[in-house]
Amino acid sequence: MVELRGILCTDEVARDNTRFSIGALDEMVWQGSNGGRPSHLSHDMHKFLGWSTVKGLYISHEGSYVLGSTYIPEDDKEWESMHYLRKAFQYNITAEMMEKYGDAFGAELKRLGGLRHERMGKIYYNNIALYGCENILYEVFPGLKDYEDGDGLVLLETLLKEFEYIGQGVFKSKRNSLAIMLHSFFRRSYSIFNNYNFGFIDQLFEVYKQGNHSVKVRLEKDYIGYAPSWIQAHEYEYWYGPHYTDDIANIPEGLVRYESDAIDKVYTDIKSTEFIWKKKDDGRQYQFEMEEVMTAEAPTMEKDTYGCRYLHALYDLSKGEFNHFDGAIRSYDLEKIVARIETPMDKMGHQAQYAKIFRLDGHVPLGLWKSLITQYLCSNNSVYDYFGIPRPFQAEAKEQRGKTLQDYVPYQIKKGDGVRLFISYHPKEQYDAKRCFCGYDELTVIEEKNKSMDLSTIEVAKALRKLGAEIYLPKDVKITKIADNVHNVPCIFHTGDGGCYKDVNKTLEGIRLLVAQHVKNNDDEIYSFTIGWNMDGRSVTVSFMGHVDDLHQWLVSLGAIPTKRKEFQKWEDAQNKYIHQHGNDSPLPINAKHVYNDGMLYFKHHRIIDDVEIHDMRTDERGSRFANIATRDEVLEKLWNTGQIHAVPLMVIDEIIDRKTGESYVDSPYSVIFNETQYEARDFRIVSYVWTTHPVDL
């Protein structure tokens, strides 16, 4: 199984001038953390890619990001398992919606003659509860048959007399709760399982709103929907109406074919797109035709049938305007599509089955005509190439990136950069203690794996105890220390339900106390903390990292953390605003070196033995020093020789003594950070050396 980690969504303004609120992003994380969902190429349900899970909401000065992973199967067994999950996911959604709306939907259908015991229908949910049987449209709304013209189209103006358009191809009856829809030919892959081509449908309605009431459309005959169950869908594939040439009359006659590039073929299954201009009616009109040639059969048509989008328009040369525009789906069987691939459109003749899906006559403004073409050809970049307009998304040439300092040292964050916050949801947790450390690091020493915790964890426990908040430090976890200023503290989890709010905020108070003392000491330290508790049947982890000065300012500002979901979402919004307003932009605001799937922010160190050969290692009272290292990496060698990178020891401390009491420092109430004592590491081992930018004396 291949895991692809990345950003699923952000709070940045999208190209359509919309943006997600922090509450919407949190809801996305909350919903997505409950097992995941199938992932598809180009939003097409017939192009299953793998399984996606949401990991959490990451907030930095630069922006807020929903992070997740997509898992791609690599063998037949993994594919089979994924397909089972996919089917179960869709079945559960449909079952849930039918449980909510099924009885009322069924009663309404039965009353109107669309539900009969002698036949079995199909139920499905795709942003609206659907019931499907052949020609059910005419059984429930028999009058619609009389409105169809010879091409099977219905005048939109007539339709809107009896139906209210509620959006995205769906019309609600003004007499009952049922809904009818535009034909599935308006959907991606012409499939009821996919969303409609929203952009094109919106443009059709724009033509109608501007006064052209000649708009005709094809309706879905085999499905009826239940209007109260409809919700708006969102897809963020962006297509816009480009500035094509207005000089239509001077576009040369003839056929032009554009072949799709390798990437477009994978995403769209379009082999080529052909455009034809031809003068008609003794040169009074200029006819435009366009057709896509597909390489994959349409998934919901008969076997070995290839559906190709087609457009036709007429331009009145004397008036300088379009007066007719229609679109259709041309269907070819296997033999004919093979011939079509090799034969230009103007030589092919009328060998395809033809289903018109929209038509409009009269004056068609040039700007709308351009937008209609672009939106109808959604996902087809050839329309931009043909009209000489830059593509919305230019493929960027990937440069081979050499290694940099960031590849060797922990995630770089310094004073003034602000706080990084990561919020994630997980299955409910239960521990014996009401407050405990969990999520320990893993340390491998001579092939033996051990739980480990940074020495700073002891200081956190001491700060909590100063406030009367008990927390247990286990004896079977190795204590480690790295000779730099970076500290990772294990997650502090709170199990109790009734007193959870007080316990969580007492922990927060202890962290605030420790960080404030570091600031008082003028320490140049960087920390990562994580707090967790159970909330509404799940557990939540709130992880935050930053320089102690930035952490101190933030911790003073935030007050208490609510432990109930509704109040917690409001708290998130406030933290989002604060963090965006305080800090500096980073060249790497987010990467896999510090955000982990378990919901924790973590400064990961890199072992030097993976990169260099060591020569002349000298040890003195300050620890180990290297007089020379050997590496073939020119970048690393330059970093080393210029003092930008340092090698420091990673130690395991088996015994640490409080010099004030002579007893174990772990159990002592006194703290080095609070300037109450000093400690002595009597039994320790150097188990590795790691890279850092900020070495400190041991």
Side-chain angles (χ1 to χ4, degrees):
M1 196 81 68
V2 175
E3 180 186 6
L4 304 177
R5 300 179 64 189
I7 298 170
L8 303 182
C9 195
T10 79
D11 66 344
E12 295 178 1
V13 178
R15 293 192 179 209
D16 63 355
N17 208 33
T18 63
R19 69 184 301 171
F20 284 102
S21 68
I22 197 69
L25 295 181
D26 175 83
E27 188 65 28
M28 193 180 301
V29 175
W30 179 266
Q31 296 293 339
S33 63
N34 191 20
R37 62 186 305 123
S39 183
H40 303 90
L41 199 62
S42 294
H43 302 290
D44 191 334
M45 294 291 286
H46 298 280
K47 294 183 177 181
F48 180 56
L49 183 65
W51 195 259
S52 293
T53 58
V54 177
K55 301 303 181 184
L57 175 60
Y58 177 77
I59 302 174
S60 70
H61 173 68
E62 294 81 1
S64 300
Y65 313 87
V66 175
L67 307 183
S69 292
T70 297
Y71 298 91
I72 311 296
E74 293 186 282
D75 56 41
D76 291 343
K77 185 176 181 180
E78 290 178 349
W79 273 111
E80 184 179 349
S81 175
M82 286 285 187
H83 277 293
Y84 175 81
L85 288 174
R86 175 195 187 196
K87 291 179 180 179
F89 176 84
Q90 190 57 57
Y91 173 82
N92 289 336
I93 289 179
T94 300
E96 179 182 342
M97 299 309 292
M98 288 302 174
E99 182 178 359
K100 184 175 182 180
Y101 297 107
D103 290 344
F105 187 16
E108 192 83 330
L109 276 172
K110 187 175 182 180
R111 183 176 68 83
L112 295 169
L115 190 65
R116 303 202 306 266
H117 293 295
E118 64 267 23
R119 67 176 183 181
M120 294 293 291
K122 295 174 286 187
I123 58 172
Y124 188 67
Y125 185 83
N126 183 12
N127 302 112
I128 186 171
L130 298 170
Y131 182 79
C133 283
E134 186 176 1
N135 288 323
I136 190 174
L137 175 69
Y138 302 131
E139 296 185 15
V140 177
F141 300 103
L144 287 175
K145 183 70 174 176
D146 299 330
Y147 297 149
E148 285 189 2
D149 65 11
D151 292 318
L153 304 183
V154 175
L155 195 65
L156 184 59
E157 183 177 31
T158 302
L159 195 64
L160 292 175
K161 292 178 181 178
E162 299 185 23
F163 295 87
E164 173 192 354
Y165 184 62
I166 59 178
Q168 297 186 337
V170 180
F171 301 79
K172 178 189 178 300
S173 171
K174 293 180 179 180
R175 298 181 180 180
N176 52 62
S177 298
L178 299 184
I180 64 174
M181 294 156 290
L182 294 179
H183 197 276
S184 290
F185 283 164
F186 287 98
R187 298 178 186 265
R188 185 176 279 103
S189 290
Y190 323 131
S191 170
I192 192 72
F193 303 113
N194 286 324
N195 286 330
Y196 283 108
N197 184 341
F198 305 142
F200 177 71
I201 294 171
D202 289 345
Q203 290 299 312
L204 271 184
F205 271 84
E206 187 62 30
V207 173
Y208 181 82
K209 291 175 184 176
Q210 290 191 12
N212 187 333
H213 290 183
S214 70
V215 178
K216 294 181 178 181
V217 293
R218 180 179 290 270
L219 297 175
E220 177 61 62
K221 299 177 178 61
D222 297 335
Y223 281 92
I224 291 291
Y226 187 58
S229 69
W230 180 81
I231 60 173
Q232 185 176 2
H234 294 278
E235 285 187 5
Y236 281 85
E237 182 180 36
Y238 180 74
W239 296 87
Y240 65 92
H243 302 290
Y244 304 154
T245 176
D246 289 349
D247 194 5
I248 301 297
N250 287 321
I251 297 176
E253 283 189 274
L255 180 144
V256 177
R257 171 183 285 195
Y258 279 79
E259 293 286 336
S260 300
D261 61 30
I263 294 177
D264 284 345
K265 286 179 182 177
V266 171
Y267 276 86
T268 66
D269 297 320
I270 301 170
K271 183 186 184 300
S272 61
T273 307
E274 294 180 354
F275 305 84
I276 297 178
W277 288 93
K278 181 180 179 181
K279 289 183 179 177
K280 297 187 66 176
D281 300 331
D282 297 327
R284 293 193 300 271
Q285 294 205 88
Y286 213 5
Q287 176 177 271
F288 169 79
E289 290 183 280
M290 182 252 38
E291 185 178 29
E292 296 172 335
V293 180
M294 305 300 293
T295 60
E297 59 185 274
T300 54
M301 294 182 177
E302 292 184 7
K303 183 175 174 56
D304 294 332
T305 300
Y306 296 75
C308 301
R309 292 184 292 193
Y310 169 84
L311 285 174
H312 171 257
L314 292 174
Y315 182 78
D316 189 321
L317 289 165
S318 62
K319 295 182 179 179
E321 64 181 32
F322 285 96
N323 56 27
H324 171 83
F325 191 37
D326 67 76
I329 303 300
R330 283 180 163 180
S331 303
Y332 298 86
D333 61 23
L334 181 58
E335 179 181 351
K336 289 176 181 176
I337 195 66
V338 171
R340 178 68 183 88
I341 289 173
E342 301 297 330
T343 308
M345 178 168 43
D346 57 352
K347 306 295 184 185
M348 187 69 184
H350 300 287
Q351 298 190 38
Q353 292 186 13
Y354 183 88
K356 192 173 290 188
I357 64 172
F358 77 91
R359 172 175 176 163
L360 52 107
D361 297 288
H363 175 58
V364 182
L366 182 59
L368 271 177
W369 180 79
K370 297 173 183 178
S371 293
L372 283 165
I373 288 181
T374 306
Q375 297 293 347
Y376 185 76
L377 299 177
C378 177
S379 304
N380 187 340
N381 281 303
S382 292
V383 66
Y384 294 95
D385 299 337
Y386 173 68
F387 285 106
I389 303 300
R391 295 185 178 195
F393 305 102
Q394 293 287 357
E396 298 179 1
K398 291 187 177 180
E399 298 181 3
Q400 189 66 30
R401 186 183 73 88
K403 284 193 172 184
T404 66
L405 177 67
Q406 303 285 348
D407 294 300
Y408 297 105
V409 298
Y411 176 68
Q412 297 290 282
I413 188 169
K414 59 184 182 299
K415 181 179 178 179
D417 284 347
V419 174
R420 308 287 187 262
L421 180 65
F422 189 44
I423 298 162
S424 58
Y425 302 106
H426 313 270
K428 188 175 181 179
E429 296 282 2
Q430 194 71 30
Y431 296 95
D432 292 336
K434 69 176 184 178
R435 177 188 292 107
C436 64
F437 288 111
C438 63
Y440 295 102
D441 196 6
E442 189 176 81
L443 178 69
T444 301
V445 181
I446 315 178
E447 298 185 353
E448 181 184 353
K449 293 183 179 180
N450 300 274
K451 291 181 180 178
S452 65
M453 62 182 181
D454 189 278
L455 180 61
S456 60
T457 307
I458 298 174
E459 303 299 340
V460 175
K462 291 177 182 290
L464 289 172
R465 290 168 185 162
K466 288 179 182 297
L467 300 173
E470 286 300 318
I471 190 167
Y472 174 68
L473 283 168
K475 303 298 183 183
D476 60 341
V477 176
K478 301 293 184 183
I479 299 173
T480 61
K481 180 173 176 60
I482 297 176
D484 65 2
N485 68 335
V486 174
H487 309 281
N488 293 304
V489 178
C491 175
I492 304 173
F493 197 85
H494 307 79
T495 300
D497 293 324
C500 183
Y501 173 83
K502 292 182 179 179
D503 292 337
V504 167
N505 284 286
K506 182 64 75 171
T507 296
L508 188 66
E509 186 181 349
I511 293 173
R512 188 184 291 121
L513 179 66
L514 175 65
V515 169
Q517 185 61 42
H518 272 299
V519 172
K520 185 177 180 180
N521 295 343
N522 199 30
D523 293 334
D524 185 21
E525 305 298 304
I526 299 170
Y527 271 89
S528 169
F529 298 100
T530 303
I531 298 176
W533 68 93
N534 290 320
M535 181 169 68
D536 290 2
R538 302 184 199 179
S539 68
V540 55
T541 57
V542 178
S543 191
F544 45 97
M545 64 163 42
H547 189 279
V548 288
D549 283 75
D550 294 323
L551 287 171
H552 176 61
Q553 293 177 34
W554 176 64
L555 289 166
V556 168
S557 75
L558 64 81
I561 298 181
T563 54
K564 300 297 183 182
R565 177 154 167 72
K566 187 175 181 180
E567 292 79 10
F568 181 71
Q569 286 183 298
K570 294 179 181 178
W571 177 86
E572 276 181 314
D573 187 51
Q575 306 323 307
N576 183 66
K577 293 174 182 175
Y578 177 94
I579 292 172
H580 284 0
Q581 294 169 2
H582 296 79
N584 297 312
D585 285 347
S586 168
L588 286 174
I590 181 170
N591 62 56
K593 288 177 67 69
H594 70 286
V595 182
Y596 287 80
N597 288 345
D598 60 2
M600 295 182 66
L601 297 175
Y602 182 83
F603 295 103
K604 185 174 180 60
H605 286 86
H606 187 81
R607 299 188 312 166
I608 72 168
I609 198 65
D610 296 331
D611 307 305
V612 302
E613 294 180 7
I614 302 170
H615 302 284
D616 288 339
M617 186 174 76
R618 301 171 186 175
T619 303
D620 55 29
E621 67 278 1
R622 297 178 62 200
S624 298
R625 299 292 181 269
F626 303 106
N628 187 26
I629 64 170
T631 177
R632 294 180 180 178
D633 188 330
E634 294 181 1
V635 173
L636 180 58
E637 186 172 5
K638 182 178 180 180
L639 292 170
W640 174 265
N641 291 333
T642 56
Q644 297 178 65
I645 196 169
H646 306 269
V648 296
L650 185 161
M651 301 188 308
V652 172
I653 303 175
D654 293 319
E655 185 180 13
I656 183 169
I657 300 300
D658 182 347
R659 287 181 173 174
K660 188 171 186 176
T661 65
E663 303 296 331
S664 168
Y665 183 71
V666 176
D667 301 322
S668 168
Y670 304 114
S671 166
V672 168
I673 304 301
F674 288 89
N675 303 311
E676 298 166 333
T677 187
Q678 294 293 320
Y679 61 69
E680 177 184 349
R682 289 187 177 174
D683 187 2
F684 66 90
R685 295 165 287 154
I686 296 176
V687 297
S688 183
Y689 289 85
V690 296
W691 297 117
T692 188
T693 59
H694 201 293
V696 298
D697 292 336
L698 295 174

